[in-house]
Amino acid sequence: MNDCIFCKIVDGTIPSTKVYEDENVYAFMDVSPLTKGHTLLVPKTHVKDLFEMPEEVAANLYAVAPKIANAIKSAFNPAGLNTINNNGAFAGQTVFHYHLHFIPRYDETDGLKVKWETKQSEFTPDVLGQVAAQIKENLNS
Ligand code: 5GP
Ligand code: ZN
């Protein structure tokens, strides 16, 4: 896609700090990292988000995810690592070429908040069953 920043990074039109590349995926340093080692993994083919990702693209991308995670772990020995993928502007996506963030965590003051206030009381076992049924009905749509 001509106007996509990450397509331009993949084809070399825009410079990036490469971590890993194979025929299907490209991994590079986030230009505005949260922590040391914050890396992005993208498919070389333009895919807007997870909703539009063909299974083969997903298989190729996630096959590489442990390799990237373990390289970051070996390099920096973080206390933990979050992999985050935002789909849609409402969910925080700002670049509309799928990317998986690898964010190593060193301490609780790094500014990333991944805790949420649970709504468990609303989701009784009956409600959870109904919700699951709705998802199951739509698995192949
Ligand atoms: P999103 O908010 O879409 O999940 O994340 C987009 C990420 O891409 C951001 O963390 C941002 O710093 C990074 N980013 C945006 N433009 C560039 C760029 O030109 N080069 C690199 N390396 N990262 C970028
Ligand atoms: Zn793209």
Side-chain angles (χ1 to χ4, degrees):
M1 207 192 234
N2 284 341
D3 58 351
C4 171
I5 300 171
F6 286 176
C7 280
K8 288 179 178 169
I9 283 178
V10 167
D11 73 18
T13 315
I14 291 178
S16 65
T17 307
K18 183 169 83 173
V19 167
Y20 174 83
E21 177 177 20
D22 65 24
E23 63 178 336
N24 301 304
V25 303
Y26 190 89
F28 56 104
M29 305 313 298
D30 193 304
V31 77
S32 183
L34 178 71
T35 60
K36 182 175 68 177
H38 184 165
T39 302
L40 301 174
L41 175 65
V42 304
K44 285 191 169 177
T45 181
H46 181 85
V47 174
K48 186 172 84 173
D49 55 27
L50 191 59
F51 301 119
E52 297 194 355
M53 184 176 283
E55 284 185 13
E56 189 186 354
V57 174
N60 289 331
L61 187 126
Y62 279 90
V64 170
K67 183 192 293 287
I68 304 298
N70 280 303
I72 294 169
K73 185 180 176 193
S74 296
F76 305 123
N77 192 30
L81 178 120
N82 291 94
T83 52
I84 297 176
N85 154 239
N86 300 321
N87 297 285
F90 188 81
Q93 187 175 10
T94 59
V95 177
F96 294 89
H97 178 133
Y98 176 95
H99 48 282
L100 186 60
H101 293 260
F102 292 76
I103 305 180
R105 307 296 302 280
Y106 302 99
D107 60 67
E108 60 281 351
T109 65
D110 62 17
L112 182 57
K113 305 263 185 277
V114 287
K115 297 279 184 204
W116 53 84
E117 291 174 24
T118 178
K119 307 289 188 300
Q120 189 176 6
S121 59
E122 293 173 31
F123 293 98
T124 60
D126 274 357
V127 173
L128 286 181
Q130 291 161 22
V131 171
Q134 282 181 279
I135 296 171
K136 283 189 256 181
E137 282 168 18
N138 287 280
L139 277 177
N140 294 315
S141 63

